[in-house]
């Protein structure tokens, strides 16, 4: 008859060690670009740029969430300098965001695994592959952040129209305000063009 110590030792031998689920450090695009060194380098640079952009955008998003209106001022009025600076940086010639491909700016596929069954019917996972999504997800957030900046800029522009051309001028000068209005309008048009170009670039 088995002693309690022997039974305990037997149970320990029969127990399977817990195996932590492997954390994937790649996404579906990395898989699809396998063997394409130029594409891999380009995509790595885009991901780094996306992370830097998202870091700056999230500062404004958090500020908007914690904003408490005073004197009937909207968030975009208070944050107008930051919003306009962000929009200008995204539309300057130094980096043409409109050349980005749609799938580089959001998540259009997810990592999935081929499953294989052995002779005993036991299913195991094989090689990963990129499975297309019916509806794109945020992914690296480039597209959603571009749209967020455009939304903020549109709100600023609308408020400027409602409050008159002298609104943004420290002296209430309509000419100064008109200059700022026209500059913002041009920036908004460039931002619209950027987003539309990406949406049509597959």
């Amino acid at each position: 008859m088995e002693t309690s110590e022997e039974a305990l030792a037997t149970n320990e031998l029969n127990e399977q060690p817990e195996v932590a689920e492997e954390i994937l450090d790649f996404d579906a695009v990395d898989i699809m670009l396998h063997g394409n060194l130029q594409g891999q380098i380009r995509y790595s640079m885009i991901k780094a740029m996306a992370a830097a952009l998202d870091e700056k955008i999230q500062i404004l998003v958090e500020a908007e969430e914690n904003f408490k209106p005073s004197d009937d001022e909207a968030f975009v009025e208070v944050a107008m300098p930051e919003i306009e600076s962000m929009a200008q940086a995204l539309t300057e010639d130094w980096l043409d965001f409109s050349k980005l491909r749609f799938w580089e700016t959001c998540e259009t596929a997810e990592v999935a695994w081929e499953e294989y069954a052995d002779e005993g019917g036991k299913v195991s996972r094989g090689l990963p592959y990129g499975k297309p999504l019916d509806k794109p997800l945020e992914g690296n957030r480039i597209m959603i952040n571009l749209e967020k900046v455009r939304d903020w800029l549109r709100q600023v522009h609308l408020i400027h129209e409602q409050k008159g051309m002298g609104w943004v001028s420290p002296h209430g000068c309509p000419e100064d305000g008109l200059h700022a209005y026209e500059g913002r309008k041009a920036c908004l048009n460039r931002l619209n063009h950027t987003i539309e170009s990406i949406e049509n670039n597959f």
Side-chain angles (χ1 to χ4, degrees), residues 45-201:
M45 294 172 67
I46 289 172
K47 285 199 291 187
M49 177 184 63
L53 172 61
D54 192 54
E55 182 182 353
K56 296 298 183 185
I57 294 287
Q58 290 307 311
I59 294 173
L60 281 180
V61 169
E62 186 176 344
E64 183 177 29
E65 290 173 352
N66 297 321
F67 178 72
K68 295 179 180 178
S70 61
D71 299 327
D72 297 325
E73 275 191 317
F75 168 76
V76 294
E77 294 181 67
V78 177
M80 181 176 65
E82 290 81 5
I83 292 169
E84 292 185 335
S85 295
M86 183 74 69
Q88 288 164 3
L90 292 172
T91 55
E92 287 179 348
D93 294 336
W94 69 278
L95 182 62
D96 192 349
F97 277 77
S98 69
K99 294 293 191 286
L100 293 177
R101 302 177 184 98
F102 181 72
W103 53 267
E104 292 172 328
T105 65
C106 58
E107 184 179 351
T108 60
E110 63 183 355
V111 176
W113 293 85
E114 292 282 0
E115 292 186 344
Y116 301 94
D118 58 21
E119 293 179 358
K122 183 178 179 181
V123 177
S124 61
R125 293 192 304 180
L127 295 174
Y129 67 96
K131 179 183 177 183
L133 296 169
D134 294 331
K135 183 178 180 180
L137 301 178
E138 291 182 359
N140 60 25
R141 299 178 58 83
I142 289 180
M143 177 59 79
I144 197 170
N145 281 329
L146 288 172
E147 292 173 337
K148 184 65 177 175
V149 173
R150 179 178 64 178
D151 179 55
W152 280 329
L153 200 62
R154 280 176 173 170
Q155 291 180 51
V156 172
H157 211 52
L158 181 60
I159 291 173
H160 197 162
E161 290 176 346
Q162 293 171 343
K163 296 198 171 184
M165 287 301 108
W167 168 60
V168 297
S169 170
H171 309 290
C173 176
E175 289 185 5
D176 288 346
L178 181 60
H179 179 73
Y181 180 87
E182 293 297 336
R184 190 188 312 109
K185 182 179 179 180
C187 185
L188 186 55
N189 288 338
R190 291 194 300 271
L191 199 50
N192 279 326
H193 169 73
T194 295
I195 292 171
E196 290 170 3
S197 296
I198 293 173
E199 289 174 338
N200 293 320
N201 185 9

Side-chain angles (χ1 to χ4, degrees), residues 2-14:
E2 227 178 15
T3 65
S4 58
E5 289 183 0
E6 290 173 336
L8 180 60
T10 302
N11 287 338
E12 288 178 350
L13 288 174
N14 290 334

